[in-house]
């Protein structure tokens, strides 16, 4: 009668049996516990490294400013060089134009065509 009142030995449900089996595999000192602990520690350390590198780039990275300054200097130098080339080209064309003799382009004993005149 007391068994009926207190309830007989109830068989544990399948979910509780599975959870008990899984938890027993992850007790301290088992290989799965060590693997899980290592994975968790690795994720935490990776996050700290990522945060540290982000802070380093945000607060202490001055290479960006150096590169920008060098790019600006290079661009100024390039513009100056192009301007020098343009000036030299203009001088060359002026020298060529000063040597231009339209009479030399006409056929012998013929008048100078209008397209060869300045």
């Amino acid at each position: 009668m007391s068994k009926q009142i207190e309830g007989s030995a109830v068989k544990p449900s399948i979910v509780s049996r599975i959870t008990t089996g899984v938890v027993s595999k992850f007790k301290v000192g088992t290989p799965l516990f060590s693997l899980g602990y290592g994975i968790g520690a690795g994720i935490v350390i990776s996050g700290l490294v990522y945060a540290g590198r982000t802070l380093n780039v945000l607060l202490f990275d001055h290479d960006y400013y150096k590169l920008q300054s060098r790019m600006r200097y290079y661009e100024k130098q390039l513009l100056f060089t192009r301007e020098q080339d343009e000036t030299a080209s203009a001088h060359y064309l002026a020298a060529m134009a000063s040597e231009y003799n339209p009479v030399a382009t006409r056929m012998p004993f013929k008048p100078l065509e209008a397209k060869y005149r300045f």
Side-chain angles (χ1 to χ4, degrees):
M1 193 80 153
S2 67
K3 281 187 178 181
Q4 288 177 349
I5 295 173
E6 292 178 13
S8 60
V10 179
K11 194 173 178 184
S13 69
I14 190 157
V15 174
S16 72
R17 282 186 285 161
I18 290 175
T19 2
T20 306
V22 169
V23 169
S24 68
K25 303 286 188 212
F26 284 100
K27 285 186 179 175
V28 178
T30 60
L32 286 177
F33 177 81
S34 298
L35 280 174
Y37 193 82
I39 289 171
I43 290 172
V44 169
I45 290 173
S46 300
L48 290 174
V49 168
Y50 181 76
R53 287 184 177 181
T54 303
L55 286 175
N56 185 28
V57 168
L58 289 175
L59 301 176
F60 305 112
D61 186 21
H62 303 298
D63 290 339
Y64 172 76
Y65 298 113
K66 290 182 203 173
L67 289 175
Q68 287 298 102
S69 174
R70 289 178 185 157
M71 290 296 289
R72 281 193 303 272
Y73 178 76
Y74 171 73
E75 192 172 348
K76 288 178 184 177
Q77 192 175 18
L78 189 63
L79 289 172
F80 176 76
T81 307
R82 284 184 183 163
E83 189 176 309
Q84 292 292 321
D85 287 343
E86 186 179 314
T87 305
S89 177
H91 285 298
Y92 174 75
L93 285 175
M96 293 294 287
S98 69
E99 296 175 8
Y100 177 66
N101 185 3
V103 177
T105 59
R106 72 176 174 83
M107 297 297 287
F109 308 108
K110 301 276 179 150
L112 184 64
E113 295 181 28
K115 66 179 180 180
Y116 293 118
R117 290 194 179 129
F118 267 135

